Amino acid sequence: MSSERYQVVVVGAGLVGAAAALALGRQGLRVALVERQNPPVPNDTWDTRIYAISPASQRFLERIGTWQRMDAGRVQPVYRMDVAGDAGGALRLDAYAAGVSHLATIVESGRLQQALWQAIEADGNVALHCPAAIASLERSDASTRIALADGSLLETELVVGADGAASRIREWAGLPSRLTPYGQSGVVANFECEIPHRGTAFQWFFGGDILAWLPLTGNCLSMVWSTQAAHADELVALGAAALAAKVQAAGHNRLGVFRLLTPAAEFPLRLIQIESAVAPGVALIGDSAHGVHPLAGQGVNLGFGDAEALVEVLAQHRRVGLGDVRVLQRYARVRAEPVQRMQALTHGLHHLFADSRAAWLRNAGMTLVNQLPPVKAALVREAMS
């Protein structure tokens, strides 16, 4: 059977993989996107998978024709963030005070996924293989042959692994990873609140836990509660009214009475580090390339940063074999520092707030930063980049 030839095959059509394929296609490269299953079509129910999209990621999504397809009625800007420590520490980050329009934008995963797929279909530059399972991969000197379960054969210079934390592409390429469990789970659920949130995000640190409320449109919010795995199981097992009361009380009733909108779900928290994101003919992006604690809400933004950087490098070297490891190492060098910096920050903050002996230090530091507008402005700029 003859094979279809591409310059790039992206494996995994989640948010980051779909964005990478779309952006590569817009650069005039021959691109295929392989995904195991079609994403569910969003409905009126709030998606429990919520992301805080940074302004930098938003600009990238605008450039590839995706952001414009989002339903404005389900997109909520964050104008302010109030952070509270466990011993009186407090920090407020304010977009107006920092001279920016907003800190981030809260979107639902399913609706952003739909916008990306609509843009891919409208452009017509990406060959979409979905639903499709990979039967085998075989690397030769300058190309990789990918056999799909339906008998299709794809030949490509470069395989981009965007297939998640348990990446098959990473394993096939022999790129070792180190997984560090935090012994915690993230519990997510959506609520309607009594008092208007006015585009404010809230975050509390207490007893080793981190509780975040992210504003949604229509006076609703999304909760992420990072807690010990046993406590997470208890939260998920609660009835709707009991869970709403528990979350409301944990946030000191800041937004009045809560009503549960979507059932709670939980996911394990872990740090994923890899020695290299590239090998001959292979590049990793998104969760395939790294995993961070969600306390800063930057995981998906790191992934979009990967996609944008990879596209830029490949566009500059399109006349060279795109699987050339010397080309791919340029991408790896560009992304190494921001990924390591975010992993170090979130990992360090997790341990700082989990250590009861450091209570005075962390709360005093939080309060000190709150009294230094230039430092706060710098924090806002870092989060937006």
Side-chain angles (χ1 to χ4, degrees), residues 2-80:
S2 62
S3 60
E4 304 169 48
R5 296 180 63 85
Y6 299 99
Q7 291 171 285
V8 184
V9 171
V10 179
V11 178
L15 299 182
V16 173
L22 176 60
L24 288 165
R26 287 196 155 208
Q27 290 290 334
L29 298 174
R30 298 188 306 281
V31 183
L33 180 59
V34 178
E35 170 57 40
R36 292 183 63 89
Q37 56 189 3
N38 286 300
V41 178
N43 54 35
D44 289 338
T45 303
W46 284 102
D47 195 333
T48 52
R49 297 164 301 163
I50 301 292
Y51 294 109
I53 303 298
S54 71
S57 293
Q58 180 177 332
R59 290 191 294 271
F60 171 56
L61 292 168
E62 287 171 349
R63 286 195 297 274
I64 61 175
T66 295
W67 194 262
Q68 301 87 324
R69 297 177 179 274
M70 295 288 289
D71 179 355
R74 302 284 285 232
V75 172
Q76 173 63 54
V78 178
Y79 301 112
R80 189 172 70 185

Side-chain angles (χ1 to χ4, degrees), residues 94-183:
D94 186 275
Y96 179 79
V100 297
S101 62
H102 61 288
L103 303 177
T105 305
I106 308 301
V107 303
E108 298 161 89
S109 175
R111 290 181 180 272
L112 181 52
Q113 182 82 68
Q114 182 184 51
L116 283 161
W117 279 54
Q118 287 176 344
I120 287 172
E121 291 170 356
D123 274 17
N125 297 326
V126 176
L128 183 59
H129 293 265
C130 180
I134 294 177
S136 66
L137 301 102
E138 182 181 347
R139 179 71 184 169
S140 64
D141 289 340
S143 66
T144 298
R145 286 173 62 87
I146 303 173
L148 302 182
D150 65 4
S152 301
L153 291 176
L154 315 181
E155 188 170 346
T156 183
E157 298 173 27
L158 174 64
V159 177
V160 174
D163 52 340
S167 172
R168 180 181 177 184
I169 298 302
R170 185 180 66 219
E171 182 180 352
W172 167 74
L175 293 169
S177 61
R178 184 168 69 256
L179 189 152
T180 306
Y182 284 113

Side-chain angles (χ1 to χ4, degrees), residues 148-222:
L148 302 182
D150 65 4
S152 301
L153 291 176
L154 315 181
E155 188 170 346
T156 183
E157 298 173 27
L158 174 64
V159 177
V160 174
D163 52 340
S167 172
R168 180 181 177 184
I169 298 302
R170 185 180 66 219
E171 182 180 352
W172 167 74
L175 293 169
S177 61
R178 184 168 69 256
L179 189 152
T180 306
Y182 284 113
Q184 289 188 322
S185 292
V187 178
V188 295
N190 298 322
F191 299 87
E192 184 179 41
C193 48
E194 178 186 19
I195 299 172
H197 53 61
R198 304 190 188 284
T200 300
F202 299 89
Q203 192 170 47
W204 292 269
F205 294 84
F206 55 91
D209 285 12
I210 304 168
L211 174 64
W213 293 352
L214 303 175
L216 302 174
T217 57
N219 216 43
C220 300
L221 63 84
S222 176

Side-chain angles (χ1 to χ4, degrees), residues 258-278:
F258 277 22
R259 181 174 69 87
L260 184 67
L261 296 176
T262 58
E266 64 178 297
F267 56 92
L269 303 184
R270 54 202 180 182
L271 174 70
I272 300 175
Q273 297 167 296
I274 63 173
E275 294 177 11
S276 175
V278 300

